[in-house]
Every structure is written in C-alpha cells, then in structure tokens.
C-alpha cells in the first residue's frame, strides 16, 4: 500500500451509541465514498457483515440465544450451583437445536460442520463454562462416537448423546500424559473367550484426568486406551464405556474423584476416572480405523501405526478450530469494553485549562490497545479461512490426506496465537480500565480466568507449535533431500525465488529477497504490501532453513545424540512455527481487504493491517537487524510509522469495535454501557455552570501570581 492519506490528529468523539448484536447502520451508509482528501469513514454495518463471515446466520442465531438471561453466567455462584445451572443450560441448547448441526442426517443432524463451529464459538459471550461443557458433550464425546465409530455406533449411541439423555466424558488425557497421547498408560486387552475388552488403569499416573462431565454428570465416556490383542499392542484406540448407573453411582470396577474448584470454568464438573477390570463388549470398540475380530485378529484400513494414530486424532481437530474462533471473540469483547471506556473516560487537563483529556487520545493508551485491535482483526480474518478449510475437509469437498494434514497444521499454528492473544488482550484491557476493569461487574477479569486454561487444553500451545515446526522441516527436507551442502548454503544465502512451503499453507512469493540493508529507499518501501510479505515470509523461511541445516546430520546419529541435537533447536523451532502462524494471519488480513464494503472502510482496514504487520516487524526487530534484513535507519522508521498509524486509526477505534456486533446484552459491562459518558458529561456540566456563575473557588496558584 502506498500511503497517500494525511496524518489525522486525534479527535474526541461524542459518546457512542450502544451497538446491537447485529451491527446497525449508525454511521455512514454502505457504499458512500469519502471525498478526496477527506478522512475516510468506516461503514460499520458493512464491515460487521464481512466479519460475520459465510456462516452469519448461524452466528446471529447463537448470539440471540446468548442474549437470554437464563443462559448467561451469574457471577458469584458456588461451584455446585454453577455446575447445576450450566447442566440445565445444556437442556436449553438441546431445545434450541443449536448443538445438532454437525451430526449425521441419519440420526437427525444437519451435517453442517462450519455452521456448527460458528454457532458454538458465539456461546462464549453467554458463559465460557456453558460453551466448553457443551463442547465436551457434543464436540468431544459425541464427535468421537461420530468420527471414530461406524454406523452401528451412530444408530445406537448418537440419539442419546444428542438429546442429553446420555451425558458423557471424553477420557483421553491422563495425570501422567497430557499432550503425549501416544504414551498413555490405560489398556484395553481383548479376551477372545468372552469377546470382551478389559479396561485397566495399571498405575496412578494412568488415571484419566481433568475430564469435563466426569465428576458428576457423565453416565458414559469415550475412553482412549492401548489396544492389546494376541499379545500385541496396536496403539491408542477409542472405546465406548458406560461409567455410572441410573442413580449416578459408579459401575463396578470404575472409580473417580472430583477435580474441585479451578482457576476458571467452574460451571464444568471436571474430574478423574480409573478402571479396574472393566469389561465391555467387543463391539464397543469405535472401529472406524481399527477393528478386532471375534478370534482376536486385529485389522485396520491404515497399515502404518503412526499414520493410523494421527488420522484418528485428526478427526477431532474441531476442538482447536472452535478455540481459535472463540478466543478471538473473547478478545473482541474485551476490546469493545476497553476501547468504549477509553473513548469516554477523561483524566488530566494536559491540553486545556478546563477539560480533561479522553484516555484514548493519549499515545500510550493507543499503543496499548490499538495494536491488540489490529491483531484481533487479523485473527478474525484468519479464523474465517481456517473455518472454511475445516468445513471443506469434514464435508468431503476437499478431503485428501494432504488437505487433512494442512488443516491440522493450520489448527496447530493458529490456536496458540489466538489463545495467547486473548489472555494478553484481556489483561491489557483490564489494566487500561484501571480499578473499573478489576470489578467483576465489568466482565474482563472473569473472562480472563475462564480462558486461562485454553492455552493448554486441546493441546499445549508450545507442543502444538512444535508440531507445526516439524511439518515445516518435513517440507524443507523434501525439497532438499538430495541437495548437497553447497546447494543448501546457496539457498540460505539467497532464499531462492518461488520459495514457499505450499503444504503448510504458505503463499508463494515470486520474488527474490531485496537488499533490505539499503538506506536509499524511502519509508514508502516499508508500507508496500509486497515488502511486508517479503519481510514476514523471509523470516520464516530463513529460520526453517537455518534449523534444517543444523539438523541435517541428525539421521546419521544415534538415538540419544539425535534427540539431543533436536532438543538444542527446540526453542528456535517453536519461534519459526509462531512466525509461520503470524504470516498466515497477515495473509488472511491482506486478502480480506479486497472484500471491504467501500473505499473508506478499506483504507482504515489497510492502516489496521499495516499496524499489524509493522507490529510484527517491530516485535522481531532484533532478528531483522542481526540478519541484515533492515538497516538501523529503517528499523527506526518502523516504530515511527507505527506512531503515525495510531493517530490515523484512533478516530475509527469505536467504529472498529462496534463492527464486531456485540451489543450490551452480550458485553454486559457497565463501563461499556454509556454510563461513563454520562458521568463525564455531568461533571463537565457542573464545572461549566459554576465557572459561568463565578462560584468556583480560586486555585491557590492563581493567588500567588498577584
């Protein structure tokens, strides 16, 4: 982008109207171009429609449901009362029909995978505990039966799961093994004499742990265990296991504990389960990817144990998809609160003898919140791309092995970024709102507590990024499998044209890397989309190629030496994967600019995209300097231009959060309700009236000047 707009000084807008759940046209009508040379304006309604994405109907219907007081979180409840309330709320979801979208039509579902996730994500605005407990019931327990089972399992078990007649748990994680599912200790040993599997947890570390629904409500569970038959361990498989009777008591051989109060999400009854000689029928093995005949013979359509394991886990990727989207929604709500408040709250008479300044007019406040707003937009647009990829795979539109691998890589790249970003955003929003942000009534602290666990469930973020890095390295090694050292060195130095790991979702950039160290170019060079793409893409590729070069000898080493070598690069690998995820977000933001409703909105979004891109470059400035990609002069230009962008975006900040479409029933924060604007207006009117009447006392400083 060539920046032709004039730098705009910050203004102090009037108190904004509360936005409804679906963005309303409270500002310029769609399609009205801004006059040449004028400050662009945001079409809030049009931008709101764009942000809703292709599953707008499902999102809006879910928001309407989330507006109902009976599904919203009540702060201050005891753990027991919160759990009871959330379980009753699940019944409302069943009545509403929202939770059945993804299930097969043969059992009353709609097979709408994208719409199901979109609707589910929006429930975070009601109560994160409700969202996650419903995710446990239908997105994990039910989805495991659907994706890992076959038609007999669907007909037998899904109707009860869908109706909530059978509340269930998803028993994968163990006390001793979380992210390393392949190493879980629970076993399912086949007994051909009785045609049963015998489920055991042989030691304390093999207890199933942190399981939603397990402490109180679940009457059945999908249990992941090592499948053993004829003395051979065929790896982790899933089994349908009843765990409680109609009175809520554990069945013989099953025991458990309540995890008790947690740091958040206390509407969910997380607990532990253990099994001693628990027998289930052979047919309760969820056998889509592996089966055992009556005589104990094992068979699978996937011969490779490793590929079979990752294929099974890949069918459950929807949890990471939904966390990416709902974490971004939480960021939107936090920023809606903080930026609305910052646009109304006044503090210090810096530029006036009488009127205090609006917080959002201070540069530091802009630096704290507006880059987070830019990242939230990037995450939102990236999630829409992600959701389409998910829907294509699970609907069968694009369901090759490569498509599934790309989806899993995208999930492992984006879920960490959006969940970390949500915690950072909510913490900064809390601090930016001062003491008001610390009050439970203003929602931010509660949201942050509930979302804290999201960075470690459905895969610890650092472990997920390591999976992304391994994929990047695999693509790199395939490209250079037969290259000699000279070819590899030339690649590292020149970063050849057409460089991209297509299998990992990167866009190919048909350009060679420019002389980033030159000081002859103007700052406009940094504003070009192609330049930002080069800088962001080059960082990923250089990091991967450098790590790949260091690891090339690993295949020739012994197991211990190879592991030590890989471990020595682990931090760099995770940083490369994170850079890859950031590039995916930037690409999605850039593509979304083409769908902006009008030129004024596109200009503001372009500034916001540039703020995101420049923010990434500034964050990693040391890397760009050390690797000769930027000169010191251009490094200084990065931060200087960010400051200019903040001034340009500031007048549009409220419009940009209003476009998110979360009105007062969904935000539910008093400081974002207009109450602060009323307080400030009252105070200003009070002092103005006393000044006009001449009844204000004279300041001490004035008397000393006489």
């Amino acid at each position: 982008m060539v920046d032709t707009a004039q730098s705009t000084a910050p203004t102090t807008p009037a108190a904004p109207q509360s936005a409804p759940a679906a963005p309303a046209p409270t500002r310029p009508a769609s399609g009205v171009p801004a006059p040449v040379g004028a400050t662009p304006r945001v079409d809030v309604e049009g931008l709101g429609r764009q942000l809703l994405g292709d599953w707008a109907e499902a999102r809006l219907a879910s928001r309407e449901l989330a507006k109902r007081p009976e599904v919203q979180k009540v702060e201050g409840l005891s753990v027991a009362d919160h759990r009871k309330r959330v379980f009753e709320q699940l019944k409302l979801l069943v009545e509403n029909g929202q939770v059945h979208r993804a299930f097969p039509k043969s059992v009353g579902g709609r097979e709408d995978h994208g719409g199901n996730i979109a609707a589910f994500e929006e429930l975070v605005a009601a109560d994160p505990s409700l969202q996650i407990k419903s995710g446990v019931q239908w997105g994990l327990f039910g989805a495991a039966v659907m994706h890992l089972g076959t038609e007999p399992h669907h007909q037998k078990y899904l109707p009860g799961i869908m109706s909530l007649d059978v509340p269930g748990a998803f028993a994968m994680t163990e006390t001793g093994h979380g992210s390393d599912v392949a190493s879980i200790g629970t076993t399912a040993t086949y007994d051909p004499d009785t045609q049963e599997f015998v489920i055991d947890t042989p030691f304390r570390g093999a207890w199933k742990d942190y399981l939603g629904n397990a402490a109180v409500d679940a009457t059945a569970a999908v249990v992941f265990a090592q499948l053993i038959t004829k003395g051979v361990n065929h790896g982790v498989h899933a089994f349908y296991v009843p765990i409680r009777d109609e009175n809520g008591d554990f069945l013989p051989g099953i025991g458990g504990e309540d995890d008790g109060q947690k740091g958040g999400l206390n509407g969910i009854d997380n607990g532990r389960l253990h099994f001693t000689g628990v027998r289930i029928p052979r047919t309760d093995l969820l056998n889509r990817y592996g089966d055992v005949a009556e005589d104990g013979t094992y068979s699978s359509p996937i011969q490779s144990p490793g590929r079979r394991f990752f294929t099974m886990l890949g069918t459950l990727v929807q949890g990471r998809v939904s966390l990416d989207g709902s974490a971004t929604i939480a960021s939107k709500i936090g920023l809606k609160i903080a930026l609305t408040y910052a646009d109304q709250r006044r503090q210090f008479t810096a530029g006036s003898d009488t009127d205090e300044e609006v917080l959002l007019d201070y540069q530091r406040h802009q630096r704290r919140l507006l880059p987070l707003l830019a990242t939230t937009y990037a995450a939102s647009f990236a999630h829409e791309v992600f959701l389409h990829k998910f829907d294509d795979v699970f609907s069968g539109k694009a369901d090759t092995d490569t498509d599934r691998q790309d989806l899993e890589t995208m999930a492992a790249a984006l879920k960490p970024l959006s969940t970390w970003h949500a915690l950072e955003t909510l913490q900064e929003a809390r601090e930016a709102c001062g003491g008001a942000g610390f009050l439970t009534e203003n929602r931010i602290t509660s949201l942050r507590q509930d979302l804290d666990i999201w960075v470690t469930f459905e895969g610890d973020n650092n472990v997920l990024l390591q999976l992304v890095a391994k994929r990047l390295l695999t693509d790199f090694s395939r490209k250079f499998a037969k290259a000699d050292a000279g070819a590899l060195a030339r690649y590292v130095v020149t970063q050849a044209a057409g460089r991209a790991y297509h299998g990992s979702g990167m866009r190919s950039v048909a350009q060679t890397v420019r002389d980033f160290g030159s000081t002859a170019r103007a700052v406009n060079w940094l504003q070009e989309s192609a330049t930002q793409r080069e800088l962001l893409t080059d960082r990923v590729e250089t990091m991967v190629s450098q790590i790949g070069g260091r690891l090339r000898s690993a295949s020739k080493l012994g197991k211990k030496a190879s592991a030590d070598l890989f471990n020595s690069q682990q931090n760099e690998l995770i940083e490369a994967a994170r850079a890859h995820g950031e590039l995916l977000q930037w690409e999605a933001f850039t593509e979304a600019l083409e769908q902006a409703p009008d030129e004024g909105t596109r200009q503001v979004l372009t500034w916001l995209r540039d703020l995101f891109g420049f923010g990434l470059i500034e964050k990693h400035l040391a890397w760009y300097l050390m690797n000769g990609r930027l000169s010191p002069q251009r490094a200084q230009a990065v931060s200087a231009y960010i400051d200019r962008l903040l001034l340009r975006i500031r007048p549009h900040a409220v419009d940009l959060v209003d476009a998110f479409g979360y009105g007062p029933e969904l935000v539910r924060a008093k400081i974002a309700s207009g109450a602060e604007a009323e307080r400030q207006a009252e105070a200003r009117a009070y002092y103005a009236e006393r000044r006009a009447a001449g009844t204000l006392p004279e300041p001490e400083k004035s008397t000393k000047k006489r």
Side-chain angles (χ1 to χ4, degrees), residues 202-226:
F203 45 83
R204 177 60 183 83
W207 283 23
K208 298 298 181 180
D209 212 342
Y210 319 117
L211 314 179
N213 284 347
V216 178
D217 295 326
T219 60
V222 169
V223 178
F224 288 79
Q226 306 285 351

Side-chain angles (χ1 to χ4, degrees), residues 20 37 40 44 49 134 187 224 265 276 287 296 323 371 379 412 437 448 465 470 490 612 623 640 669:
V44 176
R49 286 195 300 267
S134 70
T187 58
F224 288 79
L265 296 181
T276 304
N287 61 345
L323 289 181
R448 197 197 183 286
L465 288 177
K470 288 181 177 179
R490 287 192 296 275
F612 175 64
W623 186 93

Side-chain angles (χ1 to χ4, degrees), residues 631-704:
S631 67
Q633 292 87 348
R634 286 206 173 140
Q636 291 176 337
V638 170
S639 296
Y641 190 60
I642 286 175
D643 291 338
R644 291 173 62 189
L645 286 169
L646 296 174
L647 288 174
R648 291 169 180 166
I649 294 167
R650 186 269 174 265
H652 311 286
V654 173
D655 285 347
L656 289 167
V657 292
D658 282 355
F660 292 152
Y662 295 100
E665 304 96 333
L666 296 174
V667 173
R668 303 194 304 280
K670 290 187 177 180
I671 56 172
S673 66
E676 181 62 28
E678 293 176 4
R679 285 193 291 268
Q680 294 292 335
E682 179 188 23
R684 296 172 80 191
Y686 168 80
Y687 286 114
E689 182 180 351
R690 294 198 64 185
R691 278 194 299 271
T695 58
L696 274 179
E698 189 174 7
E700 179 184 348
K701 287 184 179 180
S702 298
T703 62
K704 293 180 179 179

